[in-house]
Amino acid sequence: MWGRRTFLATTALGLLAACGSKFRSYNGPEVTQILIYKGQRKMYLLHGQTAIKTYRIGLGGNPVGDKKVEGDGKTPEGLYYIDRRNPNSSYHLSIGISYPNAADRAEAEALGKKPGGDIFIHGRAKKNKGRGKDWTAGCIAIKDGEMEEVYSMVRVGTPILILP
């Protein structure tokens, strides 16, 4: 009898631990592009021309306009790519955006400044809850549970188009 109880208890604990993981699996259609409309505070995960998922987003603390230089608090605009994944992010989970590209670097250099970098789509990491809708240093923020979905769905190399 102890054997059966031990087995059931161990199985139940294993299932609970699996439910608590921030890493999800995804078996749906491939995300072929990410589309961001900064003015609408919306992010769309697309398969071809079809939106698979839509999310409300937070942006940099100075959200209007294109990112030009390091420290301007703006979220970049233009065509980029997802270039890395960070399972150990300080913001729950994150996926990196290929900012700055060559044009961004040249533009900042012409201003005598650095373009900045480390732009991500990331979660809020509970410590940032309640900071308002636009609180990042230029990144795109969504809820932690939503970031778990996005992290499972989006692959390195996925294009991301960020529009005003």
Side-chain angles (χ1 to χ4, degrees):
M1 194 64 149
W2 267 119
R4 183 172 182 212
R5 283 187 186 167
T6 303
F7 172 76
L8 291 173
T10 304
T11 302
L13 285 173
L15 289 172
L16 284 174
C19 291
S21 174
K22 64 183 178 180
F23 300 104
R24 299 183 185 187
S25 61
Y26 174 71
N27 296 316
E30 177 187 4
V31 174
T32 57
Q33 182 179 9
I34 301 169
L35 182 58
I36 305 252
Y37 287 102
K38 290 171 47 176
Q40 296 175 9
R41 303 298 191 283
K42 295 278 185 165
M43 177 172 74
Y44 301 90
L45 302 186
L46 304 176
H47 175 75
Q49 298 298 313
T50 304
I52 301 169
K53 291 290 268 187
T54 303
Y55 301 94
R56 293 188 52 74
I57 60 171
L59 300 168
N62 187 11
V64 177
D66 187 16
K67 182 166 196 60
K68 302 286 184 203
V69 297
E70 184 174 53
D72 65 8
K74 294 183 182 294
T75 301
E77 296 172 1
L79 178 62
Y80 299 95
Y81 296 88
I82 299 303
D83 65 354
R84 60 203 181 279
R85 297 163 57 81
N86 184 359
N88 300 313
S89 172
S90 297
Y91 299 96
H92 192 60
L93 292 168
S94 63
I95 55 176
I97 297 171
S98 63
Y99 177 88
N101 59 28
D104 297 320
R105 286 189 290 279
E107 186 174 35
E109 186 177 311
L111 296 170
K113 306 271 186 175
K114 294 180 180 181
D118 282 339
I119 302 295
F120 288 85
I121 299 171
H122 60 64
R124 291 188 74 89
K126 294 180 179 124
K127 66 184 177 188
N128 296 298
K129 198 170 186 176
R131 289 186 65 183
K133 68 179 178 183
D134 296 323
W135 57 273
T136 76
C139 295
I140 297 155
I142 56 179
K143 295 176 182 175
D144 289 349
E146 294 172 338
M147 190 61 222
E148 291 172 9
E149 289 178 345
V150 171
Y151 195 86
S152 73
M153 296 171 76
V154 175
R155 301 290 167 242
V156 169
T158 302
I160 176 169
L161 180 59
I162 306 171
L163 300 170

